[in-house]
Amino acid sequence: MTSIIGHTQLALVQGDITTQDVDAIVNAANSSLLGGGGVDGAIHRAGGPDILAECRQLRETSHTSGLPTGQAVITTGGRLPARHVIHTVGPVWLSGSRGEAELLAACYRNSLQLAMDRGLHTVAFPSISTGIYSYPVEQAARVALSTIMAFLKAQPDWFDEVRMVLYSRYDFEVYQAALAELQQSG
Ligand code: ADP
C-alpha cells in the first residue's frame, strides 16, 4: 500500500527491516546505544560489529549519558544493504499520559530530519516502541503515519521514499487501516 505526498512515496510493507535496500534504516534502539532485543538485536546481528563500534564511539564522545528518548543519531550500516542506520529511542508506554505520543512523534521527525541533513533520500522505519516498549500498535500507527505525513507535506521535494516495514501481518494491517483513515481525513 502506498500514498504519494509531494515527490515522496510513503509505502507500507510487511517484512524484515534488515533486508531493506534503502539509504538508511531506522533502529528502535535503547538509550544505551549498545544493543538490545527485538529489531535492535536483529540489526546488529545482520549488520555486524562496525555498527556497535560506532555506537560505542558516540557513547565516548557526544553521548556519554546515552541517547535521550525521541532523539536520533546515525552510524554506518555495516554489512546491511542499507548504507546507514539511524538509531532512535522510542518511549516506553506507561499510561499514555506521560508524553508518549509527543516523544514517539519526535522519533519519526528527528530521524527524517537527520536523514535529510545527511543527504539521504530513502528511509525505512520499523514500528518504533510497539514491541518490548509496549506502545499499543493502533495508537502508535496513527502517531507514526500522521507525523511522517506532516513532515513530508512540509518537505515535499526531498525524499524519494519513506517506507514503514511491519514485521507481523497484524501490524501491517493496523498500519494500512491507519493510513486509509488519515488519507480520508485529508
Ligand atoms: P521497542 O523496544 O521500541 O518496542 P522492539 O524491537 O521490541 O522495539 O519492537 C519494535 C517493533 O519491531 C515490533 O513491532 C517488532 O515486532 C518489530 N520487529 C522486530 N524485529 C524486526 C525486524 N527484523 N524487522 C522489522 N521489524 C521488526
Side-chain angles (χ1 to χ4, degrees), residues 43-175:
I43 287 171
H44 282 285
R45 274 195 303 278
D50 290 356
I51 301 174
L52 189 57
E54 274 191 39
C55 286
R56 286 221 172 87
Q57 218 161 30
L58 289 169
R59 285 299 310 272
E60 283 162 18
T61 55
S62 52
H63 291 82
T64 50
S65 352
L67 182 64
T69 305
Q71 295 189 21
V73 294
I74 189 164
T75 66
T76 177
R79 295 196 293 256
L80 294 168
R83 280 189 292 133
H84 299 280
V85 177
I86 292 172
H87 307 261
T88 189
V89 182
V92 175
W93 178 265
L94 297 167
S95 60
S97 57
R98 303 283 195 87
E100 290 95 331
E102 192 38 55
L103 288 166
L104 186 61
C107 288
Y108 287 93
R109 259 196 314 271
N110 288 328
S111 297
L112 289 170
Q113 187 62 52
L114 185 52
M116 268 186 84
D117 294 345
R118 291 303 191 92
L120 309 177
H121 292 277
T122 54
V123 178
F125 285 95
S127 179
I128 297 164
S129 283
T130 64
I132 297 159
Y133 284 1
S134 301
Y135 205 120
V137 66
E138 288 78 6
Q139 293 178 57
R142 282 198 289 274
V143 172
L145 294 172
S146 62
T147 304
I148 293 169
M149 288 164 94
F151 192 98
L152 297 179
K153 280 178 187 154
Q155 298 287 352
D157 300 324
W158 180 262
F159 288 103
D160 295 328
E161 184 180 350
V162 175
R163 192 181 300 168
M164 286 289 324
V165 181
L166 293 321
Y167 204 44
S168 74
R169 181 85 206 166
Y170 180 77
D171 289 353
F172 176 60
E173 285 170 2
V174 168
Y175 272 75

